[in-house]
Amino acid sequence: MNEQLPKPIAELSVESEKGSEAAGIRELGLEEKSTLEGDAAVAQAIAEGVPGLDDETESRDELDKVVRNMLLAGLAISTILIIAGLLLSSIFHRPLPSVASGGHQLFRKLKAGAPSGFLDLGILVLIATPILRVFGSLAEFIYRRDWLYAAITSTVLLILAISVLAGRG
Amino acid sequence: MFLIFFIGFFVGGAGSMLGIGGGVLLIPLLTSILGVPIKNAIGAGIISVIATSSAAGAVYIGRGLVHSRLAMVLEVATTGGALAGGITAVFISPRLLAAFFGLVLIYVAFSMRKLPKEDRWVEHTGLLDTSYLDPRSGNTVEYGIRKLGKGMGASFLAGNVSGLLGIGGGIIKVPIMSLVMGVPLRASIATSNFMIGVTAATSAVIYYQHGYIDPAITVPAALGVLLGAQVGSRIGGRLRSQKLKQAFQLLLFAFSIQMFVQALRGII
């Protein structure tokens, strides 16, 4: 029951976010009809901007919440890796290399426990963070069967893939 | 190392107070004070941009200010631009990069005039209509998108400049979004900041593979910018920003001259 509750709230509030009545009615599926009255009131209140219902605590969109958490997680992991790398290299008095490594070289470094390996990995996680949030959006769009936006999101990912390949050599 | 951190902290703080990214100042400071090669400075800039965009994007999206769908549409253009820019930057001469950078600095200095606070034409257009809750007035602001084609063009240019020079590109996108596309200023800034991360990541993977990401420069710069931006956005409202802005514009002009000198060094 608990797992089923948040979705109608999010979807309803998306509708009120759109503001357009026609679009709202068109896109309101059968699922929303079973929404509890309380949830509808919450969504309504958010739409009307009742003070006290802070939108920071009441996320209006499931998609937004997924993306937000991915960004914060990526940022936290990369910061931890980078700080670990900095601390380790200052403890062991290892000079920092002037080129961040990738692929096999990075793998070897990490296997050997070299401090700069943590740094490089931290930088890579940082670069990967916004890319992963695009994957998160793609998953969410597919889950909602929003094929147009799934296609748009895939195009962004395609460009990213080209850039990974184009960067070689 | 600590000097780089402080430079990052300074540009991150000043940038966030003025609503522009730190990259425009970070890169000339690194090349002029520390003699960092321009492509490595751009590499450090692009990573700092990813860090600040991820942090700011998370905050803005939590407040419901980001138009996720519009962002995704425009990201097709920004990442395309960044791909072209990143490839170009890796292959062209550092001198030419410095000259481009000088030009962009002048543009930024001039474009720092205040954007009108009042949002004109904020209404439904039937295209990507959305809304957000204005935290100050408590009202729900509803708006739709117009002139998507122009927006895509500007986004491509912004992505291109970002990929080429390692800056965010918000300075190009925000005015177009708020003045042409009918996106309220708050939402423009939030959406632009959110988009910058994936734009920067596109060219970052190119810089990374070409060895222009130097951890000894990138790491302290990115941490500094990230921390500076946090501090700057907290104290930003309290400072009289007019003086700060003029000082900043002066700095931008000074650095644009410095960049041109760098571009012409050895030629004349």
Side-chain angles (χ1 to χ4, degrees):
Chain A
M1 188 62 200
N2 268 342
E3 285 170 70
Q4 286 166 349
L5 266 176
K7 198 168 166 267
I9 297 176
E11 293 205 352
L12 243 189
S13 46
V14 171
E15 294 318 322
S16 22
E17 213 181 284
K18 292 217 165 124
S20 152
E21 295 263 314
I25 291 163
R26 197 167 2 98
E27 286 184 33
L28 270 171
L30 280 171
E31 209 177 342
E32 281 73 16
K33 284 184 183 159
S34 66
T35 308
L36 299 170
E37 273 183 24
D39 296 343
V42 169
Q44 187 69 22
I46 295 165
E48 285 171 8
V50 172
L53 258 177
D54 195 348
D55 52 353
E56 218 165 331
T57 51
E58 195 77 49
S59 180
R60 300 181 302 171
D61 199 331
E62 200 67 28
L63 169 66
D64 285 359
K65 216 170 16 184
V66 170
V67 167
R68 179 171 172 265
N69 291 342
M70 290 182 85
L71 286 176
L72 290 176
L75 210 53
I77 293 169
S78 74
T79 310
I80 289 167
L81 282 169
I82 284 171
I83 288 176
L86 282 178
L87 285 178
L88 287 174
S89 55
S90 68
I91 290 169
F92 296 111
H93 300 290
R94 299 269 183 84
L96 294 176
S98 67
V99 173
S101 58
H104 294 295
Q105 209 192 339
L106 175 59
F107 189 70
R108 262 205 309 276
K109 268 192 194 173
L110 285 172
K111 226 174 156 186
S116 69
F118 288 97
L119 273 185
D120 298 350
L121 194 64
I123 295 172
L124 279 176
V125 170
L126 190 60
I127 296 174
T129 298
I131 301 176
L132 288 175
R133 75 105 170 131
V134 179
F135 275 106
S137 298
L138 178 64
E140 188 69 27
F141 285 133
I142 290 174
Y143 175 71
R144 288 187 191 187
R145 298 174 188 281
D146 188 339
W147 303 122
L148 174 63
Y149 277 88
I152 292 170
T153 310
S154 305
T155 312
V156 173
L157 288 172
L158 181 71
I159 295 169
L160 282 164
I162 294 171
S163 136
V164 170
L165 294 175
R168 288 195 180 172
Chain B
M1 185 113 176
F2 283 103
L3 184 58
I4 298 175
F5 178 80
F6 280 119
I7 289 174
F9 189 80
F10 165 71
V11 299
S16 74
M17 279 186 238
L18 291 162
I20 66 168
V24 283
L25 267 194
L26 176 70
I27 293 156
L29 275 169
L30 287 178
T31 58
S32 63
I33 295 182
L34 296 166
V36 174
I38 190 162
K39 291 187 186 182
N40 292 51
I42 289 173
I46 207 81
I47 300 294
S48 310
V49 163
I50 296 176
T52 40
S53 167
S54 298
V59 171
Y60 284 130
I61 209 163
R63 289 184 192 155
L65 284 168
V66 176
H67 193 329
S68 316
R69 282 187 164 76
L70 174 65
M72 197 57 83
V73 173
L74 294 180
E75 274 161 15
V76 173
T78 61
T79 52
L83 171 62
I87 293 173
T88 314
V90 168
F91 290 108
I92 67 172
S93 90
R95 281 211 175 99
L96 210 53
L97 273 180
F100 274 136
F101 211 105
L103 286 177
V104 168
L105 285 175
I106 291 177
Y107 169 79
V108 173
F110 275 115
S111 69
M112 274 176 68
R113 59 181 191 276
K114 225 183 183 96
L115 287 166
K117 273 254 162 67
E118 228 169 278
D119 295 311
R120 288 176 300 170
W121 308 329
V122 171
E123 58 189 24
H124 288 295
T125 58
L127 179 63
L128 286 161
D129 285 344
T130 187
S131 70
Y132 67 90
L133 186 69
D134 191 322
R136 288 201 185 155
S137 64
N139 294 329
T140 304
V141 181
E142 302 183 347
Y143 66 98
I145 304 303
R146 59 183 82 226
K147 305 229 163 80
L148 188 58
K150 274 191 184 167
M152 290 295 273
S155 298
F156 184 85
L157 183 69
N160 204 240
V161 170
S162 167
L164 195 60
L165 304 176
I167 63 174
I171 201 82
I172 296 171
K173 271 179 292 169
V174 172
I176 299 286
M177 286 169 83
S178 67
L179 298 177
V180 179
M181 300 180 74
V183 180
L185 187 57
R186 268 172 179 284
S188 297
I189 293 170
T191 306
S192 169
N193 261 301
F194 178 73
M195 287 160 60
I196 280 169
V198 70
T199 311
T202 311
S203 52
V205 296
I206 298 173
Y207 281 104
Y208 197 101
Q209 295 184 76
H210 280 265
Y212 290 121
I213 306 292
D214 177 347
I217 299 165
T218 305
V219 163
L223 289 179
V225 171
L226 191 59
L227 211 67
Q230 302 299 317
V231 174
S233 62
R234 295 229 156 79
I235 61 172
R238 276 177 247 155
L239 277 173
R240 289 177 66 91
S241 64
Q242 196 56 34
K243 282 257 160 57
L244 190 73
K245 200 165 92 179
Q246 282 165 356
F248 208 80
Q249 280 174 313
L250 221 68
L251 264 180
L252 289 172
F253 277 121
F255 278 119
S256 74
I257 293 167
Q258 197 269 333
M259 278 290 170
F260 287 129
V261 170
Q262 212 171 305
L264 296 171
R265 193 178 293 155
I267 294 176
I268 34 175

